[in-house]
Amino acid sequence: MDLSNGSVVTEFILLGFSAPWELQIVFFVTFSLIYGATVLGNILIMVTVACSSSLHSPMYFLLGNLSVLDLCLSTVTTPKMIRDLLAEHKTISIWGCMAQMFFMHFFGGAEMTLLIAMAFDRYVAICKPLHYRTIMSHRVLGGFVVLSWTIGFIHTMSQMVLTVNLPFCGPHIIDNIFCDLPLVIKLACVETYTLELFVIADSGLLSLICFLLLLVSYTVILVTVQQRSSGGLSKALSTLSAHIAVVTLFFGPCIFIYAWPFSSFAGNKILAVFYTVITPLLNPNIYTLRNQKMQKAMRKLVSTC
């Protein structure tokens, strides 16, 4: 059924955070600061990587692309969420909702794939250092980036093509801070059990497989470092533990939301905040801003401006 002709519902109501007005103000200020820091941090990384010749290496090229995806993913949901904190009527048009879901799964799927590529880059750098430049060639790097965006597009299209024409003619309240597939699908006026299973198989398995691959790659890196140098193990463990923490904060909520049975799913806004607001802020800090070479390049860039 075509939405423009057959659907009674033209907009959804986002419940957002149910809290007293004073607490809503606190949320507004907090999330505004977080989003501002996310935008500034990721833009700074992108500009630094692009302008600093010392950072023209595979690792920083991938980090720059990660910043692009983090900025896009955060921008899809956070500005609308911040605005709704002070709005009396928290509504979103049905096509605005569809667009939000499309881009969130597009950038989210691309970021999951790029994180795998970054883990592979670290594996090659640590486990096969003599062949690093040969393996991580410009062609391979370009392939990783194209592959991540392609998988993100296929991931979102495979779900949205089945969702966009669902008829919505009854309940139109979404108990979350943004539109997302599990909650929107439940509002359709038709039986969606098959589609729910497909979303579990698509988003849930993609999140789980990427998360497990990352854990395996980090484990292999730690074992390799331990075998070669006991002194370097503590440093590698310190670095990778921070990476694993960020990866867990990103993939944990995704796995819970999309792999959990739909019948027991309740829109957990805290989990949604973690992977759309907190993680895009943590990524530049954990992966990049703690890097001494990056800090030196940033200081040099600022001093020349």
Side-chain angles (χ1 to χ4, degrees):
M1 182 184 295
D2 185 77
L3 285 172
S4 61
N5 298 323
S7 175
V8 176
V9 174
T10 59
E11 64 181 17
F12 293 112
I13 297 175
L14 298 170
L15 293 184
F17 293 102
S18 301
W21 177 252
E22 294 79 7
L23 191 55
Q24 297 272 34
I25 297 295
V26 174
F27 286 153
F28 176 82
V29 173
T30 301
F31 290 130
S32 296
L33 291 174
I34 291 176
Y35 180 65
T38 300
V39 172
L40 290 176
N42 284 293
I43 290 179
L44 180 59
I45 290 170
M46 288 185 285
V47 172
T48 304
V49 170
C51 298
S52 301
S53 57
S54 62
L55 301 181
H56 290 173
S57 64
M59 182 181 76
Y60 295 105
F61 175 77
L62 295 175
L63 286 172
N65 280 274
L66 178 65
S67 290
V68 173
L69 290 173
D70 277 333
L71 181 59
C72 293
L73 181 61
S74 181
T75 301
V76 169
T77 58
T78 308
K80 168 67 175 170
M81 180 194 70
I82 292 173
R83 187 181 66 180
D84 284 349
L85 287 170
L86 300 182
E88 183 177 355
H89 301 289
K90 305 173 183 179
T91 61
I92 183 171
S93 68
I94 193 166
W95 288 112
C97 184
M98 295 297 168
Q100 196 175 62
M101 292 189 295
F102 174 88
F103 286 110
M104 190 170 67
H105 285 267
F106 178 32
F107 296 128
E111 181 163 333
M112 290 180 187
T113 310
L114 188 65
L115 288 171
I116 298 293
M118 292 171 62
F120 178 77
D121 171 75
R122 291 299 83 203
Y123 165 78
V124 175
I126 294 174
C127 301
K128 300 180 182 296
L130 298 179
H131 304 284
Y132 179 67
R133 286 292 181 178
T134 303
I135 297 175
M136 300 302 295
S137 62
H138 292 293
R139 183 177 179 180
V140 171
L141 287 174
F144 277 146
V145 173
V146 172
L147 179 64
S148 65
W149 287 85
T150 301
I151 289 180
F153 182 76
I154 295 173
H155 167 64
T156 192
M157 282 299 295
S158 64
Q159 298 176 105
M160 293 307 301
V161 72
L162 300 175
T163 305
V164 72
N165 284 321
L166 286 175
F168 298 95
C169 54
H172 61 291
I173 297 176
I174 300 175
D175 187 18
N176 209 334
I177 56 178
F178 54 78
C179 291
D180 205 3
L181 278 170
L183 296 178
V184 173
I185 289 174
K186 295 294 290 184
L187 299 178
C189 299
V190 295
E191 176 59 46
T192 58
Y193 179 74
T194 303
L195 180 56
E196 292 171 6
L197 290 180
F198 179 75
V199 170
I200 292 174
D202 193 331
S203 295
L205 284 180
L206 177 64
S207 302
L208 183 59
I209 291 172
C210 289
F211 180 62
L212 292 177
L213 286 175
L214 284 169
L215 290 183
V216 169
S217 66
Y218 290 147
T219 302
V220 171
I221 291 173
L222 288 175
V223 171
T224 302
V225 172
Q226 183 182 27
Q227 292 176 345
R228 293 184 179 180
S229 173
S230 59
L233 180 61
S234 59
K235 182 179 179 180
L237 184 60
S238 174
T239 301
L240 292 182
S241 61
H243 291 190
I244 292 172
V246 173
V247 166
T248 303
L249 287 176
F250 179 76
F251 283 96
C254 293
I255 294 171
F256 180 86
I257 290 173
Y258 296 111
W260 209 255
F262 274 60
S263 58
S264 63
F265 178 84
N268 196 317
K269 302 160 192 176
I270 303 300
L271 293 177
V273 166
F274 268 112
Y275 78 90
T276 59
V277 180
I278 303 301
T279 303
L281 174 65
L282 291 179
N283 275 345
N285 286 281
I286 297 299
Y287 285 101
T288 308
L289 296 182
R290 295 175 61 201
N291 185 292
Q292 293 183 356
K293 192 174 181 180
M294 175 65 75
Q295 292 176 1
K296 183 178 179 180
M298 286 181 176
R299 286 193 295 266
K300 183 178 180 181
L301 183 65
V302 171
S303 63
T304 56
C305 293

